[in-house]
Amino acid sequence: MDNLLAGPPPTYLPDLPEAREALEAGAKPSDVAARFPAFPAAWAALAEEYFAQGHAVTSYAFARTGYHRGLDQLRRSGWKGHGPIPWEHEPNRGFLRCLYALARAAQSIGEKDEAERCVQFLKDSDEAAYDALTAG
């Protein structure tokens, strides 16, 4: 008998080995994003880089791009708008990092409601992602 209260199954994004390996090898995130625009980890790296340099609006734009690219991939992977997106699955991390970067940049530019929505979405996706991304 199925557990009707179990909720939707976790969603696992596909790996993009060529894009991932380029970032791991030290390619500039902007080059990886230009070559692989559907790779959220490149957008997350850009958002993080620009936020660290004090460019919150640019960080917001990069994070939003990666967030939307990630949503497209989630939907193609069977996600129905809710349910777990496990941090432990490496290809999910780019999207989850974009979600956190979007929350942080939104808060920084005064978009409090959006920041709160993004934080809640991150926690709903995987508390481990929230813990990992806010632990520093």
Side-chain angles (χ1 to χ4, degrees), residues 11-17 20 39-41 73 85-96:
T11 302
Y12 300 101
L13 293 177
D15 189 20
L16 298 173
R20 178 180 39 80
F39 187 55
Q73 288 182 19
I85 304 167
W87 174 255
E88 68 194 28
H89 181 66
E90 185 72 32
N92 288 355
R93 290 185 181 188
F95 170 75
L96 295 167

Short mmCIF file of all heavy atoms in Angstrom, two decimals, residues 11-17 20 39-41 73 85-96:
data_model
loop_
_atom_site.label_atom_id
_atom_site.label_comp_id
_atom_site.label_asym_id
_atom_site.label_seq_id
_atom_site.Cartn_x
_atom_site.Cartn_y
_atom_site.Cartn_z
N THR A 11 13.91 15.15 -6.35
CA THR A 11 14.26 15.43 -7.73
C THR A 11 15.77 15.53 -7.83
O THR A 11 16.42 16.19 -7.02
CB THR A 11 13.61 16.75 -8.20
OG1 THR A 11 12.20 16.64 -8.04
CG2 THR A 11 13.93 17.03 -9.65
N TYR A 12 16.30 14.87 -8.84
CA TYR A 12 17.74 14.83 -9.07
C TYR A 12 18.03 15.40 -10.46
O TYR A 12 17.61 14.83 -11.46
CB TYR A 12 18.27 13.40 -8.97
CG TYR A 12 18.02 12.78 -7.62
CD1 TYR A 12 16.97 11.89 -7.42
CD2 TYR A 12 18.84 13.09 -6.54
CE1 TYR A 12 16.74 11.32 -6.17
CE2 TYR A 12 18.61 12.53 -5.29
CZ TYR A 12 17.56 11.65 -5.12
OH TYR A 12 17.33 11.10 -3.89
N LEU A 13 18.74 16.52 -10.49
CA LEU A 13 19.11 17.12 -11.77
C LEU A 13 20.18 16.29 -12.45
O LEU A 13 21.00 15.65 -11.78
CB LEU A 13 19.61 18.55 -11.56
CG LEU A 13 18.56 19.54 -11.08
CD1 LEU A 13 19.19 20.90 -10.83
CD2 LEU A 13 17.44 19.66 -12.08
N PRO A 14 20.19 16.32 -13.77
CA PRO A 14 21.24 15.58 -14.49
C PRO A 14 22.59 16.26 -14.34
O PRO A 14 22.67 17.49 -14.16
CB PRO A 14 20.76 15.62 -15.94
CG PRO A 14 19.92 16.85 -16.02
CD PRO A 14 19.27 17.00 -14.67
N ASP A 15 23.62 15.48 -14.43
CA ASP A 15 24.97 16.01 -14.41
C ASP A 15 25.31 16.54 -15.80
O ASP A 15 24.86 15.99 -16.80
CB ASP A 15 25.95 14.90 -14.02
CG ASP A 15 27.36 15.41 -13.76
OD1 ASP A 15 27.53 16.62 -13.50
OD2 ASP A 15 28.29 14.59 -13.80
N LEU A 16 26.06 17.62 -15.84
CA LEU A 16 26.60 18.14 -17.10
C LEU A 16 28.12 18.06 -16.97
O LEU A 16 28.78 19.03 -16.62
CB LEU A 16 26.14 19.58 -17.33
CG LEU A 16 24.63 19.77 -17.46
CD1 LEU A 16 24.27 21.25 -17.51
CD2 LEU A 16 24.11 19.07 -18.70
N PRO A 17 28.68 16.87 -17.24
CA PRO A 17 30.10 16.63 -16.95
C PRO A 17 31.05 17.63 -17.59
O PRO A 17 32.00 18.08 -16.94
CB PRO A 17 30.36 15.22 -17.47
CG PRO A 17 29.03 14.58 -17.59
CD PRO A 17 28.04 15.68 -17.80
N ARG A 20 30.79 20.90 -15.62
CA ARG A 20 31.31 20.70 -14.26
C ARG A 20 32.82 20.59 -14.28
O ARG A 20 33.53 21.23 -13.48
CB ARG A 20 30.69 19.45 -13.64
CG ARG A 20 31.20 19.14 -12.24
CD ARG A 20 30.57 17.88 -11.66
NE ARG A 20 30.35 16.79 -12.58
CZ ARG A 20 31.30 15.92 -12.98
NH1 ARG A 20 32.55 16.06 -12.55
NH2 ARG A 20 31.00 14.93 -13.79
N PHE A 39 23.71 25.58 -17.17
CA PHE A 39 24.43 25.00 -16.03
C PHE A 39 24.36 25.95 -14.83
O PHE A 39 25.11 26.92 -14.76
CB PHE A 39 25.89 24.74 -16.44
CG PHE A 39 26.71 24.01 -15.43
CD1 PHE A 39 26.31 22.78 -14.93
CD2 PHE A 39 27.90 24.54 -14.99
CE1 PHE A 39 27.08 22.10 -14.00
CE2 PHE A 39 28.69 23.87 -14.07
CZ PHE A 39 28.28 22.64 -13.57
N PRO A 40 23.47 25.69 -13.88
CA PRO A 40 23.28 26.61 -12.76
C PRO A 40 24.53 26.86 -11.92
O PRO A 40 24.69 27.95 -11.37
CB PRO A 40 22.18 25.95 -11.92
CG PRO A 40 21.46 25.06 -12.84
CD PRO A 40 22.50 24.59 -13.83
N ALA A 41 25.42 25.89 -11.83
CA ALA A 41 26.61 26.09 -10.99
C ALA A 41 27.48 27.23 -11.51
O ALA A 41 28.11 27.93 -10.71
CB ALA A 41 27.41 24.80 -10.89
N GLN A 73 15.25 22.99 -15.56
CA GLN A 73 15.79 21.63 -15.47
C GLN A 73 15.01 20.78 -14.46
O GLN A 73 14.78 19.59 -14.69
CB GLN A 73 17.26 21.66 -15.09
CG GLN A 73 18.14 22.14 -16.20
CD GLN A 73 19.60 22.12 -15.80
OE1 GLN A 73 20.00 21.45 -14.85
NE2 GLN A 73 20.40 22.87 -16.53
N ILE A 85 14.82 18.56 -3.04
CA ILE A 85 15.87 18.72 -4.05
C ILE A 85 17.17 18.51 -3.27
O ILE A 85 17.74 19.46 -2.73
CB ILE A 85 15.82 20.12 -4.70
CG1 ILE A 85 14.44 20.38 -5.29
CG2 ILE A 85 16.91 20.27 -5.76
CD1 ILE A 85 14.19 21.84 -5.68
N PRO A 86 17.61 17.26 -3.12
CA PRO A 86 18.68 16.93 -2.18
C PRO A 86 20.03 17.58 -2.48
O PRO A 86 20.54 17.50 -3.59
CB PRO A 86 18.80 15.40 -2.28
CG PRO A 86 17.50 14.95 -2.86
CD PRO A 86 17.04 16.06 -3.75
N TRP A 87 20.58 18.21 -1.45
CA TRP A 87 21.92 18.80 -1.50
C TRP A 87 22.97 17.74 -1.76
O TRP A 87 23.98 17.99 -2.42
CB TRP A 87 22.17 19.53 -0.18
CG TRP A 87 23.55 20.08 0.00
CD1 TRP A 87 24.54 19.57 0.79
CD2 TRP A 87 24.08 21.27 -0.60
NE1 TRP A 87 25.65 20.38 0.72
CE2 TRP A 87 25.39 21.43 -0.13
CE3 TRP A 87 23.57 22.22 -1.49
CZ2 TRP A 87 26.21 22.49 -0.52
CZ3 TRP A 87 24.38 23.28 -1.88
CH2 TRP A 87 25.69 23.40 -1.39
N GLU A 88 22.76 16.54 -1.23
CA GLU A 88 23.75 15.47 -1.37
C GLU A 88 24.00 15.09 -2.83
O GLU A 88 25.05 14.54 -3.15
CB GLU A 88 23.33 14.24 -0.58
CG GLU A 88 22.10 13.57 -1.16
CD GLU A 88 21.44 12.56 -0.24
OE1 GLU A 88 21.56 12.70 0.99
OE2 GLU A 88 20.80 11.64 -0.77
N HIS A 89 23.06 15.37 -3.70
CA HIS A 89 23.23 15.08 -5.13
C HIS A 89 23.94 16.27 -5.77
O HIS A 89 23.38 17.35 -5.92
CB HIS A 89 21.85 14.84 -5.77
CG HIS A 89 21.90 14.51 -7.21
ND1 HIS A 89 22.46 13.34 -7.69
CD2 HIS A 89 21.46 15.18 -8.30
CE1 HIS A 89 22.37 13.31 -9.01
NE2 HIS A 89 21.77 14.43 -9.40
N GLU A 90 25.20 16.09 -6.11
CA GLU A 90 26.06 17.17 -6.58
C GLU A 90 25.43 18.04 -7.68
O GLU A 90 25.52 19.27 -7.60
CB GLU A 90 27.41 16.60 -7.05
CG GLU A 90 28.40 17.65 -7.44
CD GLU A 90 28.98 18.43 -6.28
OE1 GLU A 90 29.13 17.86 -5.18
OE2 GLU A 90 29.29 19.62 -6.47
N PRO A 91 24.80 17.48 -8.71
CA PRO A 91 24.21 18.35 -9.74
C PRO A 91 23.10 19.27 -9.24
O PRO A 91 22.83 20.29 -9.87
CB PRO A 91 23.67 17.35 -10.77
CG PRO A 91 24.56 16.16 -10.63
CD PRO A 91 24.81 16.08 -9.13
N ASN A 92 22.49 18.96 -8.10
CA ASN A 92 21.47 19.85 -7.53
C ASN A 92 22.08 21.09 -6.88
O ASN A 92 21.40 22.10 -6.69
CB ASN A 92 20.64 19.12 -6.46
CG ASN A 92 19.70 18.10 -7.03
OD1 ASN A 92 19.55 17.96 -8.23
ND2 ASN A 92 19.06 17.36 -6.14
N ARG A 93 23.34 21.02 -6.54
CA ARG A 93 23.96 22.09 -5.75
C ARG A 93 24.02 23.42 -6.48
O ARG A 93 23.92 24.47 -5.86
CB ARG A 93 25.34 21.68 -5.28
CG ARG A 93 25.26 20.60 -4.22
CD ARG A 93 26.59 20.25 -3.64
NE ARG A 93 26.42 19.20 -2.64
CZ ARG A 93 27.39 18.78 -1.86
NH1 ARG A 93 28.60 19.33 -1.95
NH2 ARG A 93 27.16 17.83 -1.00
N GLY A 94 24.20 23.41 -7.78
CA GLY A 94 24.23 24.67 -8.53
C GLY A 94 22.93 25.42 -8.37
O GLY A 94 22.92 26.63 -8.09
N PHE A 95 21.82 24.71 -8.53
CA PHE A 95 20.51 25.36 -8.37
C PHE A 95 20.33 25.86 -6.94
O PHE A 95 19.90 26.99 -6.71
CB PHE A 95 19.37 24.40 -8.72
CG PHE A 95 18.03 24.95 -8.33
CD1 PHE A 95 17.44 25.97 -9.07
CD2 PHE A 95 17.37 24.49 -7.20
CE1 PHE A 95 16.22 26.52 -8.68
CE2 PHE A 95 16.16 25.03 -6.81
CZ PHE A 95 15.59 26.04 -7.56
N LEU A 96 20.66 25.03 -5.96
CA LEU A 96 20.47 25.41 -4.56
C LEU A 96 21.37 26.58 -4.19
O LEU A 96 20.96 27.47 -3.43
CB LEU A 96 20.71 24.19 -3.66
CG LEU A 96 19.69 23.06 -3.86
CD1 LEU A 96 20.17 21.78 -3.19
CD2 LEU A 96 18.31 23.46 -3.36
#
